[in-house]
Every structure is written in C-alpha cells, then in structure tokens.
C-alpha cells in the first residue's frame, strides 16, 4: 500500500510524511478522451468572484471564480486542473449546450416537520447556500426552470425525508434542490438517484444556527447514466452537518460536495463510499472552507474498484483561513484495488493560513488486499474467496454504518455483495 499523510498541530504529529516518487499536487493529464486545446491559465484563480471564494484572489482553491453566468466560465478543454481527470466526451454535452431534456421525476416520503415546495428560480432561497463554481454547474443552474425546496421546520425533532429522483431518458437535463434545516432542528434527508438519465444537478444545503442535519446522497443509477452534481452546504453557528455520499451506479458520475462554515463552533462530517466497476468513471471532489474560528471538520471517503478501465478519482481540498483560529480538521481517502486494469487517483490538499489551530491533517492510501489480513482469516479455516469478501465488507462498512438508516444500510450491503459476485471477488 501507498500512504501519504501530513499533520500540523502544536503537539507531536500523528502521521509521518513519506514521499511518493513521481506524485505531485499537479498530478497528470490522464484522460486521452479529453479534447486537445490550450490549458486554462493560472489567472483563472484570480478572476472576479460573485460569491463563495471571494476575498482571497491568490488562493489556489478559495479564489476560484463563482458566477451564475455561463459566459463567465471559459469552454472546457480537459486540461484545467479541476477537469484533468474527467473524460469530457463522456459528459453527454452537459458542459456545452444548455440541457433541454426532462429532468428525473421527484418522489417524496416526508415525516412530520418536513415540507417540499416547487418554486421558481427567482425564489429567495435559491442561491442562499451556493453559487456555481464551474461551467457545468452554471449551465445546469441556468437551464433549470424551477427548484424543489425541502424545509425542516425550526425546533423540529427526528424529521426524516426521502427524495427519490427517477430518470427515464437520456436527453441532457438539469435539476435544482434546496434543503433548509431551520434553527435548532434535527433531521435526516436521503436523496436517492435511480434509473437512466443525463443530468446536471445543483443541491444547496442551508444548515442554520444550532441545527443538526444528516444528508445521504445515493447514486444508484443504471449503467448508462451520466450525472454531474454540485452539493454545496453552508453550516451556521453551532450547527452540525453530516454529509454522506454513496456512489455505485452510472457510466460517469462526478460530484463536488462542499461545506463552508459561516458561524463559529460549527461541525461538518463528510463521508463517502464508492464502488467502481469495469469502464465506470466515478469522481468526487470535496472542499471544506474553514472561514470561521473554532470549527471542526472530519472527512473520510473509501472506495473499492474492479475490472478493466474502472477509474475512481478523489480530490479533497481543505482551506483554513487566517481568521479560523482553533480549527480542528482532518481528511482521509482510502482505496482498495481488487483487480488488474483498475485505477484510483487520490489527491488530498490542505491550505493553512494561520498557525493557531487545534489540528489539521490529511492522508491518502491506495493498495490491494492486505496479505496479513487474508492470512489471518485463512489460518482460521476461512477459504480465500470468503476471506477476500470479508475484508472488502469490513473495509466499506465503516462508511455504511454512518448512515443510521437500517433499510438503506441493508440495501447497500446487498449491493456490495452483488458487486463482489460480479467478478467473483
């Protein structure tokens, strides 16, 4: 296994920093399917901003352009830092012309304390927690004719909501969702994506003061689906967000979750699970913006992949701004490669602009089965095939058990079993 980790605290570091030959934050231009053109220049991070990362024009992450206007974003070439791993020719045109197809239909199951409305894009809540950060997101934002707004009422307890998006066509489409957890509420939202679709999606999550919200986004698409999704969250004073991403289905899925602290004493936990099969491209790019003091974040994504040309990408960006004193932050990505011909790319990034923090670190591990684990299980009479499945199940279960919904956890465990059975792992 290859492991990288760094830690910056006032105490002894928890991890060492072994070097990896040939690996840098710049990485490689990996996709032969990307269109050939000149790269987006370094000035991209110094453009004007309409929100989001305003205020630090020279930062590699926080200073990126945010805008509602598609024309503010240059056409993609595939050589931009944010798109160098993504095969643009497999995006179904979501980065080019405006999506005009019918968006996946929305079905809802709501407990008391939750409401869903359909509103125009001029509703005041639309744009309250996110502004497009790339061309695909801006394209979807402008193409969406309406938005769904899920509200968890103030002081409500044990609220549960399941939103099921069912795709039924392969014409490029756009959809928009806003989730509002009002002050001191407690809620769980499951967003389930199923069927066949080509969709650009924007999700805004507004976790208001003192609220505690869990959002689980499941990508269980059919094999032909194409899904790009921006999931941006604002986390207010003393609020808590647990954000969980589970990606199994689809031909190409590219998600960009982010959490921005807009009040002190807030907490964000971001977990992810993905299982890539032959030919699939599953990409997750995260951003945690410590813009307020005394906030805590914890990121853990785990992935397994198998089969020829299975490709997973994880990029984690954490920014600790100069005013974010007392920050405690950690991010990690773990990948288990089950067969030859599969590739996992993992890039953890950490920017620290103040030394007055409780702790900050990042880690990345990619490798095959641990021979010692297999030997231990086989020495106790378990055959190799069963031992391998036990190792994979144990590896991924750390994320599954974070969900807290028994029916969904059982469904995901069954999906893992089916994935392993597909290649006899």
């Amino acid at each position: 296994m290859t492991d990288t980790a760094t830690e910056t605290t006032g105490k002894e570091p928890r991890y060492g920093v072994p070097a990896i030959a040939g690996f840098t934050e710049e990485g490689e231009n990996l996709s032969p399917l990307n269109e050939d053109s000149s790269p987006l220049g370094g000035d991209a991070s110094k453009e004007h901003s309409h929100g989001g990362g305003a205020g630090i024009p020279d930062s590699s992450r926080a200073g990126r352009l945010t805008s509602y206007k598609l024309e503010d974003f240059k056409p993609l070439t595939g050589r931009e830092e944010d798109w160098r791993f993504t095969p643009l020719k497999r995006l179904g045109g979501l980065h080019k012309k405006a999506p005009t197809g019918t968006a996946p239909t929305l079905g809802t199951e709501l407990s008391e304390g939750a409401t869903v409305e359909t509103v125009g894009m001029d509703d005041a809540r639309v744009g309250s927690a996110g502004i497009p950060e790339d061309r695909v997101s801006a394209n979807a934002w402008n193409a969406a004719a309406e938005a769904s707004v899920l509200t968890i009422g103030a002081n409500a307890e044990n609220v549960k909501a399941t939103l099921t998006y069912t795709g039924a066509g392969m014409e490029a489409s756009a959809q928009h969702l806003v989730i509002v957890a009002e002050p001191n509420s407690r809620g769980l939202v499951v967003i389930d994506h199923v069927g066949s679709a080509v969709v650009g999606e924007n999700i805004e999550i507004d976790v208001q003061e003192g609220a505690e919200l869990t959002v689980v986004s499941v990508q269980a698409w059919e094999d032909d689906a194409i899904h790009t999704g921006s999931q941006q969250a604002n986390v207010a004073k003393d609020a808590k967000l647990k954000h969980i991403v589970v990606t199994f289905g689809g031909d190409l899925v590219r998600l960009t979750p982010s959490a921005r602290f807009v009040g002190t004493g807030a907490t964000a936990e971001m977990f992810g699970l993905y299982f890539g099969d032959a030919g699939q491209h599953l990409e997750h790019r995260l951003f945690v913006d410590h813009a307020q003091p005394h906030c805590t974040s914890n990121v853990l994504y785990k992935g397994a992949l198998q089969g020829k040309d299975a490709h997973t990408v994880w990029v984690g960006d954490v920014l600790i701004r100069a005013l974010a004193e007392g920050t405690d932050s950690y991010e990690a990505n773990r990948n288990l490669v089950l067969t030859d011909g599969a590739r996992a790319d993992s890039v953890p990034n950490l920017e620290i602009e103040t030394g007055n923090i409780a702790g900050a670190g990042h880690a990345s591990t990619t490798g095959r089965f641990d021979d010692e684990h297999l030997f231990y299980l086989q020495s106790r009479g378990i055959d190799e095939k069963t031992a391998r499945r036990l190792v994979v199940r144990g590896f991924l279960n750390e994320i599954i058990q974070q969900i807290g919904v028994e029916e969904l956890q059982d469904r995901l465990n069954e999906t893992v079993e089916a994935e392993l059975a597909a290649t006899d792992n």
Side-chain angles (χ1 to χ4, degrees):
M1 277 200 164
T2 302
D3 198 356
T4 65
T6 62
E7 178 76 10
T8 304
T9 67
K11 302 178 182 179
E12 290 297 317
R14 286 176 284 178
Y15 290 83
V17 194
I20 304 178
F23 185 83
T24 70
E25 287 187 0
E26 286 72 28
E28 309 165 69
N29 185 8
L30 293 171
S31 178
L33 297 178
N34 284 339
E35 293 137 359
D36 214 359
S37 183
S38 60
L40 186 68
D43 290 340
S45 65
K46 300 180 182 180
E47 295 278 358
H48 68 287
S49 175
H50 297 278
I56 309 182
D58 294 322
S59 170
S60 62
R61 183 59 178 85
R64 69 169 49 187
L65 170 67
T66 60
S67 177
Y68 299 107
K69 298 179 181 179
L70 179 64
E71 58 269 25
D72 285 343
F73 298 96
K74 297 180 182 179
L76 298 179
T77 67
R79 298 179 64 190
E80 300 85 357
E81 170 60 28
D82 279 355
W83 294 92
R84 63 189 173 93
F85 291 111
T86 310
L88 297 183
K89 291 184 179 180
R90 291 171 61 181
L91 277 180
L94 291 171
H95 62 307
K96 292 184 176 180
K97 60 183 180 180
T100 57
T102 302
T105 59
L106 173 61
T108 63
E109 290 183 35
L110 308 175
S111 71
E112 185 176 354
T115 60
V116 171
E117 308 166 67
T118 300
V119 302
M121 292 297 288
D122 58 351
D123 187 278
R125 291 164 292 185
V126 176
S128 60
I131 301 174
E133 294 182 325
D134 58 51
R135 184 175 179 86
V136 174
S137 179
N139 201 15
W141 193 295
N142 286 278
E146 58 189 23
S148 299
V149 178
L150 168 64
T151 303
I152 299 175
N155 302 306
E157 297 280 349
N158 300 318
V159 178
K160 293 183 180 180
T162 299
L163 308 180
T164 302
Y165 285 101
T166 303
M170 295 300 291
E171 187 177 355
S173 62
Q175 65 190 27
H176 199 105
L177 171 66
V178 180
I179 301 172
V180 180
E182 293 186 341
N184 302 310
S185 60
R186 305 288 183 269
L188 166 68
V189 178
V190 177
I191 308 168
D192 203 0
H193 300 92
V194 297
S196 296
V198 177
V199 61
E201 178 183 59
N202 284 293
I203 297 178
E204 301 178 63
I205 305 169
D206 183 9
V207 190
Q208 298 182 0
E209 185 171 341
E212 294 184 12
L213 178 66
T214 298
V215 176
V216 184
S217 178
V218 181
Q219 289 61 243
W221 298 107
E222 295 297 326
D223 292 342
D224 56 354
I226 300 169
H227 178 197
T228 65
S230 169
Q231 302 189 7
Q232 299 191 50
N234 280 351
V235 189
K237 183 177 183 294
D238 297 327
K240 295 181 180 179
L241 170 67
K242 179 187 284 189
H243 185 274
I244 304 170
V245 167
V246 180
T247 304
F248 286 98
D251 175 67
L252 182 147
V253 176
R254 185 184 193 271
L255 302 183
T256 56
S258 65
R260 292 182 174 87
F261 295 112
V262 296
T264 61
T267 299
E269 295 179 301
M270 304 182 75
F271 299 103
L273 163 65
Y274 48 89
F275 201 126
D277 281 322
Q280 276 188 304
H281 180 93
L282 307 180
E283 184 168 346
H284 302 85
R285 289 176 169 267
L286 288 78
F287 178 40
V288 180
D289 187 355
H290 281 270
Q292 296 289 330
H294 304 293
C295 293
T296 301
S297 67
N298 182 40
V299 176
L300 177 60
Y301 269 59
K302 286 190 168 187
L305 57 163
Q306 62 187 6
K308 186 176 185 300
D309 295 328
H311 188 196
T312 65
V313 177
W314 180 89
V315 179
D317 290 311
V318 175
L319 169 66
I320 302 174
R321 299 181 189 249
L323 56 77
E325 297 180 351
T327 288
D328 192 357
S329 176
Y330 195 79
E331 65 169 344
N333 176 227
R334 313 291 187 193
N335 296 290
L336 188 57
V337 181
L338 303 179
T339 66
D340 293 335
R343 175 163 187 160
D345 286 287
S346 179
V347 186
N349 300 311
L350 177 61
E351 297 179 63
I352 305 175
E353 297 179 345
T354 176
N356 188 10
I357 60 175
H362 60 173
S364 171
T365 303
T366 299
R368 294 185 177 273
F369 284 103
D370 189 316
D371 291 336
E372 290 186 2
H373 289 169
L374 293 178
F375 176 78
Y376 176 85
L377 293 170
Q378 289 181 265
S379 69
R380 279 148 180 79
I382 300 174
D383 65 89
E384 182 179 357
K385 179 179 176 180
T386 302
R388 286 178 176 271
R389 292 191 176 189
L390 287 173
V391 170
V392 176
R393 285 203 298 265
F395 175 74
L396 298 177
N397 191 59
E398 183 178 3
I399 304 299
I400 293 175
Q401 67 184 3
Q402 292 289 338
I403 294 172
V405 181
E406 186 174 352
E407 311 91 276
L408 181 54
Q409 291 179 179
D410 290 343
R411 170 185 158 194
L412 295 179
N413 281 319
E414 291 172 1
T415 302
V416 170
E417 288 296 324
E419 293 280 359
L420 293 173
T423 54
D424 203 30
N425 274 308

